[in-house]
Amino acid sequence: MRHYFLIPLSQLTLAILLFIVGGQTLAGTLTETDKSVRSIVSGIVSYTRWPTLSNQPKLCIFSSSHFVQALSDSKPTPLPYTPQIVHNEAEALAATCDAIYFGHESPANQLAIFANYQGRALLLIAEQNPECVIGSAFCLIINDDTVRFSVNLDALSRSGVRVNPDVLMLARNKKHE
């Protein structure tokens, strides 16, 4: 009689083991660049204050981003924001985001979206805006395995959010990758 219970028990044990190992493998699929982008974006958001926000900020992540998974997966560590993936400008506007992370949207598109949010504090971060002259307040500079960021102080001053000055100093430091 014991033999009949051993087979289902061993199958259950194997299933649990595969689930645990599979979950660890999935969490381990982030590259070093993914982890750097996630860390930098999380840091920027963590040190940003919105004038009327009492909960976690909502970060809308454009689906055109190379880092959607890294920025939206709350494992292995919790995120300092609530991620929401958006596919276009209309979805971003309807989502009433507190921050927006752009993928391939041009700096002109970034400005147009910001213009439609007038009167609300909105932090803009871009991964494809290397000059960082117009558009987003923070721009990631991704070269091979290094990730840095720069700040557009003009855009930041119009954003309605306050960012800890230490973050701004990091943007000047070329070794913060």
Side-chain angles (χ1 to χ4, degrees), residues 112-125:
I113 290 172
F114 180 73
N116 287 319
Y117 264 88
Q118 284 298 18
R120 289 199 54 218
L122 182 66
L123 177 67
L124 302 179
I125 305 170

Side-chain angles (χ1 to χ4, degrees), residues 86-165:
V86 296
H87 299 89
N88 54 48
E89 181 178 340
E91 284 184 21
L93 293 172
T96 60
C97 314
D98 300 303
I100 299 177
Y101 184 91
F102 294 103
H104 290 292
E105 291 69 30
S106 71
N109 286 34
Q110 296 168 27
L111 280 176
I113 290 172
F114 180 73
N116 287 319
Y117 264 88
Q118 284 298 18
R120 289 199 54 218
L122 182 66
L123 177 67
L124 302 179
I125 305 170
E127 73 183 30
Q128 298 291 331
N129 188 353
E131 293 82 32
C132 208
V133 177
I134 63 169
S136 293
F138 288 93
C139 305
L140 300 187
I141 303 163
I142 304 164
N143 294 318
D144 299 323
D145 59 348
T146 61
V147 181
R148 298 181 297 118
F149 66 94
S150 60
V151 178
N152 177 337
L153 292 175
D154 186 44
L156 184 59
S157 68
R158 288 190 315 266
S159 70
V161 300
R162 292 183 337 186
V163 177
N164 185 307

Side-chain angles (χ1 to χ4, degrees), residues 1-104:
M1 189 101 171
R2 279 191 249 163
H3 185 283
Y4 295 111
F5 290 110
L6 288 179
I7 292 173
L9 182 62
S10 64
Q11 289 173 342
L12 178 62
T13 304
L14 180 61
I16 290 171
L17 183 62
L18 288 174
F19 178 76
I20 291 170
V21 171
Q24 290 173 346
T25 303
L26 180 62
T29 60
L30 295 180
T31 67
E32 289 305 311
T33 304
D34 291 337
K35 292 175 188 174
S36 293
V37 167
R38 178 184 171 110
S39 175
I40 288 173
V41 171
S42 292
I44 291 169
V45 172
S46 293
Y47 287 95
T48 299
R49 297 294 169 252
W50 284 259
T52 60
L53 192 63
S54 58
N55 296 325
Q56 273 193 333
K58 182 190 297 183
L59 175 67
C60 292
I61 305 158
F62 268 84
S63 60
S64 63
S65 165
H66 292 291
F67 303 100
V68 171
Q69 180 186 355
L71 294 171
S72 61
D73 187 6
S74 61
K75 296 175 185 144
T77 57
L79 298 168
Y81 53 83
T82 303
Q84 181 166 343
I85 299 169
V86 296
H87 299 89
N88 54 48
E89 181 178 340
E91 284 184 21
L93 293 172
T96 60
C97 314
D98 300 303
I100 299 177
Y101 184 91
F102 294 103
H104 290 292

